[in-house]
Amino acid sequence: MRRAAAAVEGPLALVPTMGALHDGHLALIQRARQIVGASGAVVVSIYVNPTQFGAGEDLARYPRPWATDRRKCAEAGVDIIFHPEAGGLYCDDHSTWVYEEVLSRGLCGASRPGHFRGVCTVVAKLFMIVQPDIAVFGQKDYQQLAIIRRMVRDLDMPVKIIGVPTQREPDGLAMSSRNTYLSPQERTEALSLRRGLLTARELWRKGEHAATRLQSAAKKAILKGNGITIDYLEVVNPKTLQPERHVQRGCVMAAAIKIGSTRLIDNIIFQ
Ligand code: AMP
């Protein structure tokens, strides 16, 4: 990977993914290409990073459609795919970690202990290996994007971080590799997550700015979906990710739900 990167003369963009590529990933790849231009190179990493999965999570069953991913990358004009083998990025006695200690506390960090330690560590390792000028991440993982920005700032990593808006299916469901776990029935019920977030934003646009009332309205709409439980649903400050009581323009409502054994996340910005 280092040799391939060193041979690139123009700017280098990295798009880190866990594979099972969908149009959300492709939007990141397109944005990367737009920025680096024809003379630059786009690197897509495909690695199901074991350290960001907790015990009992879906590491073993996470989809790994390598041949399809490779074809999609070729069609999207990706210059380099970095695809380490399963344990390939970690030595057996790996013992060095990157922690972000404030933004990682709430939301997904609270329900997935150790998750963001795994994310920060693997992204830091990818930055060291690929040494990109820019790296592109999706706003669907809003907390992850905020944490990566903080890590890069705090550790003086010479990488520019670019965020790309959430890409959705025509019916509004946020694209996710985990959507493949959903049965047709669950796929229909899952739409209530987006509906709940839209309900809250409509109410806000009509003048309701109390977080508690926006949250209850969103929860009520989400729970209309059969078999759904809410992991968390919060309104947070877009930078600090601290809960907000009075919801101003730019605040983010972020939610995680479980439907059957599948965990899905989404968010909406009040604007
Ligand atoms: P993943 O493969 O799920 O780890 O995601 C790799 C990158 O793609 C992350 O930066 C995600 O935020 C981004 N991503 C995933 N789904 C979407 C989506 N629906 N829209 C935009 N970006 C996404």
Side-chain angles (χ1 to χ4, degrees):
M1 180 61 239
R2 283 230 178 90
R3 269 199 302 276
V8 175
E9 281 176 11
L12 195 63
L14 171 65
V15 181
T17 81
M18 297 207 298
L21 301 180
H22 49 67
D23 286 354
H25 297 114
L26 294 182
L28 270 50
I29 292 169
Q30 277 164 14
R31 185 82 186 92
R33 172 61 66 198
Q34 238 176 23
I35 296 173
V36 298
S39 62
V42 176
V43 179
V44 171
S45 62
I46 296 181
Y47 185 62
V48 183
N49 172 38
T51 65
Q52 70 189 69
F53 288 79
E57 292 188 356
D58 55 343
L59 173 62
R61 73 161 174 154
Y62 199 86
R64 293 164 170 89
W66 164 238
T68 315
D69 284 348
R70 185 165 53 181
R71 179 178 53 73
K72 286 184 179 173
C73 284
E75 284 168 5
V78 168
D79 298 285
I80 302 170
I81 305 176
F82 181 46
H83 181 44
E85 9 182 301
L89 279 191
Y90 297 93
C91 294
D92 290 341
D93 56 352
H94 178 98
S95 57
T96 307
W97 300 97
V98 181
Y99 293 88
E100 189 290 322
E101 296 194 320
V102 171
L103 304 177
S104 308
R105 279 192 206 136
L107 308 176
C108 285
S111 38
R112 304 185 69 189
H115 171 66
F116 288 116
R117 178 187 81 154
V119 169
C120 285
T121 303
V122 82
V123 171
K125 282 165 73 66
L126 290 169
F127 286 178
M128 300 297 279
I129 296 165
V130 178
Q131 305 199 355
D133 299 289
I134 70 159
V136 187
F137 293 84
Q139 285 169 4
K140 194 197 73 133
D141 301 86
Y142 192 92
Q143 185 178 20
Q144 168 173 284
L145 176 57
I147 292 170
I148 299 290
R149 287 191 196 282
R150 178 66 61 91
M151 172 184 83
V152 162
R153 186 202 72 179
D154 287 351
L155 298 182
D156 308 293
M157 294 178 173
V159 183
K160 185 166 190 240
I161 303 301
I162 307 290
V164 171
T166 304
Q167 307 296 304
R168 300 181 179 280
E169 301 291 352
D171 60 9
L173 184 70
M175 290 176 177
S176 165
S177 307
R178 290 191 165 96
N179 291 350
T180 57
Y181 298 152
L182 300 170
S183 68
Q185 171 72 21
E186 290 172 335
R187 170 71 184 69
T188 307
E189 305 298 338
L191 283 176
S192 73
L193 171 54
R194 171 71 171 162
R195 276 195 212 111
L197 298 175
L198 285 172
T199 302
R201 191 166 68 182
E202 272 315 299
L203 261 183
W204 178 81
R205 284 178 175 168
K206 287 183 183 145
E208 176 60 76
H209 287 186
T212 47
R213 281 199 282 273
L214 295 170
Q215 283 165 204
S216 335
K219 282 185 182 171
K220 205 168 138 204
I222 291 174
L223 292 172
K224 281 195 183 141
N226 277 321
I228 291 186
T229 53
I230 296 176
D231 178 3
Y232 67 77
L233 183 138
E234 281 187 51
V235 181
V236 298
N237 177 285
K239 292 242 155 53
T240 65
L241 304 189
Q242 287 302 299
E244 291 278 13
R245 284 169 45 181
H246 184 77
V247 182
Q248 288 168 334
R249 178 177 295 274
C251 284
V252 179
M253 180 175 270
I257 63 164
K258 267 211 128 168
I259 175 159
S261 57
T262 306
R263 187 174 182 279
L264 299 178
I265 60 172
D266 201 351
N267 63 74
I268 201 163
I269 301 175
F270 291 98
Q271 58 189 7

